[in-house]
Amino acid sequence: MGTPGEGLGRCSHALIRGVPESLASGEGAAAGLPALDLAKAQREHGVLGGKLRQRLGLQLVELPPEELLPLGPLLGDTAVIQGDTALITRPWSPARRPEVDGIRKALQDLGLRIVEMGDENATLDGTDVLFTGREFFVGLSKWTNHRGAEIVADTFRDFAVSTVPVTSSSHLRGLCGMGGPRTVVAGSSEAAQKAVRAMAVLTDHPYASLTLPDDAAADCLFLRPGQPGLPPFLLHRGGGDLPNSQEVREAGALPPPPTREMGLRPSLWEEEGVPFLETLSGATLSWLKGGPACGSWGLIPFSAHAVLPAGPAEAF
């Protein structure tokens, strides 16, 4: 298990679950997901698995689709993982709670230490949990309550855990994410900006704050592959269906994150050479198992993988 200050570690495994036909039958729309082209989603799901293996060098563990679990591919809501510890969540929706059974077994088979949420008063969706590499922020939302956040704190005691009110129907990671080490990206909605301001008040660590026009564009994933010689990657939603953020992307490069010890660094992209993956319309990505201090990442929808667009930035 990682210790405070190690940052976002390296990842070795990816766990994904196939797309069931039932996801296109209305269950996805009921959960706020966009209309789904099933054949396209299943095809691109397979392409994504290949990219995770070939481009990132990750060991892929793929669970079969389960028709009785239409939202089963959204694995990020079922577990919070840091280092060698996996907290099995208790999703807000009772219909989704059976999803954790297959995830629990897969994580056990990977050798992770499993922690259960035994309190029936607790609710926790994993995509309400943002790990920055130094601390956890847990969104208090429709999906996650105070007791769920307390269990996150009890499980990961080596890290500070702070709660952030979410004033929309989204999860916290639907509003903001980590665009790189010490760089928080957030959408421009009132709910997203309130979340970032709350995080700024609660943290003792320096971060750069980058605002994007679309909340969906902030739903991103910074990866350090475990295989030697591979550079970091940033996966996030592309600009094809987010034209406002596409305009921002064309403005320039991501600004450097601040650090109290070193002053402003060169751009993350110049320093670490972050590449991009090819466009994959409508693909999905799940949590990744990593080495020390590699956080848990949920299955997030995105239509392209590319270098993060730039935008107004400030330190907090």
Side-chain angles (χ1 to χ4, degrees):
M1 184 169 180
T3 56
E6 285 184 332
L8 296 168
R10 295 190 174 273
C11 302
S12 60
H13 292 70
L15 175 64
I16 61 177
R17 174 179 269 162
V19 180
E21 294 182 6
S22 55
L23 185 57
S25 66
E27 294 289 342
L33 299 178
L36 180 69
D37 181 331
L38 181 63
K40 185 177 181 181
Q42 291 175 333
R43 181 175 64 253
E44 290 170 347
H45 182 83
V47 172
L48 175 63
K51 294 295 183 181
L52 293 173
R53 287 192 301 264
Q54 298 164 16
R55 294 294 301 275
L56 275 71
L58 300 176
Q59 297 184 47
L60 188 66
V61 179
E62 185 167 7
L63 303 179
E66 296 191 34
E67 294 301 331
L68 295 179
L69 302 175
L71 299 183
L74 305 180
L75 300 186
D77 283 330
T78 61
V80 176
I81 303 134
Q82 197 289 318
D84 62 357
T85 298
L87 171 63
I88 303 300
T89 67
R90 189 169 184 270
W92 172 84
S93 170
R96 295 197 62 193
R97 290 174 191 165
E99 295 175 20
V100 307
D101 297 334
I103 303 306
R104 180 189 296 107
K105 183 180 185 307
L107 299 182
Q108 287 174 332
D109 291 345
L110 287 172
L112 274 72
R113 181 176 73 91
I114 303 298
V115 178
E116 302 282 355
M117 290 183 64
D119 190 335
E120 294 186 356
N121 294 317
T123 61
L124 177 69
D125 276 13
T127 45
D128 268 324
V129 181
L130 176 64
F131 180 61
T132 71
R134 290 162 175 77
E135 60 192 315
F136 285 91
F137 292 102
V138 181
L140 298 180
S141 67
K142 168 184 176 180
W143 320 100
T144 297
N145 63 16
H146 277 280
R147 182 60 188 133
E150 289 174 352
I151 294 175
V152 174
D154 289 341
T155 303
F156 303 106
R157 295 189 177 184
D158 286 342
F159 295 89
V161 178
S162 303
T163 57
V164 178
V166 177
T167 58
S168 73
S169 60
S170 178
H171 294 87
L172 177 62
R173 288 199 349 244
L175 302 174
C176 57
M178 295 303 294
R182 299 185 298 280
T183 301
V184 176
V185 294
S188 59
S189 71
E190 182 179 358
Q193 291 301 300
K194 282 185 176 180
V196 170
R197 289 195 295 269
M199 292 163 63
V201 170
L202 294 165
T203 187
D204 291 327
H205 300 282
Y207 299 99
S209 174
L210 177 66
T211 298
L212 304 175
D214 302 286
D215 287 358
D219 192 355
C220 59
L221 179 63
F222 178 78
L223 302 176
R224 294 182 186 275
Q227 186 172 326
L230 288 178
F233 281 78
L234 184 71
L235 280 68
H236 78 100
R237 191 163 182 167
D241 57 347
L242 300 172
N244 292 332
S245 289
Q246 177 66 21
E247 291 179 7
V248 175
R249 172 187 289 115
E250 296 171 356
L254 182 70
T259 167
R260 293 190 179 115
E261 294 80 13
M262 299 172 58
L264 292 179
R265 302 187 310 157
S267 166
L268 168 68
W269 317 125
E270 295 173 1
E271 179 177 328
E272 303 194 42
V274 178
F276 63 91
L277 294 179
E278 290 84 353
T279 297
L280 295 172
S281 177
T284 52
L285 179 74
S286 76
W287 72 267
L288 290 108
K289 171 180 180 277
C294 183
S296 161
W297 298 93
L299 182 145
I300 54 176
F302 55 97
S303 59
H305 317 282
V307 174
L308 190 72
E314 57 184 12
F316 76 79

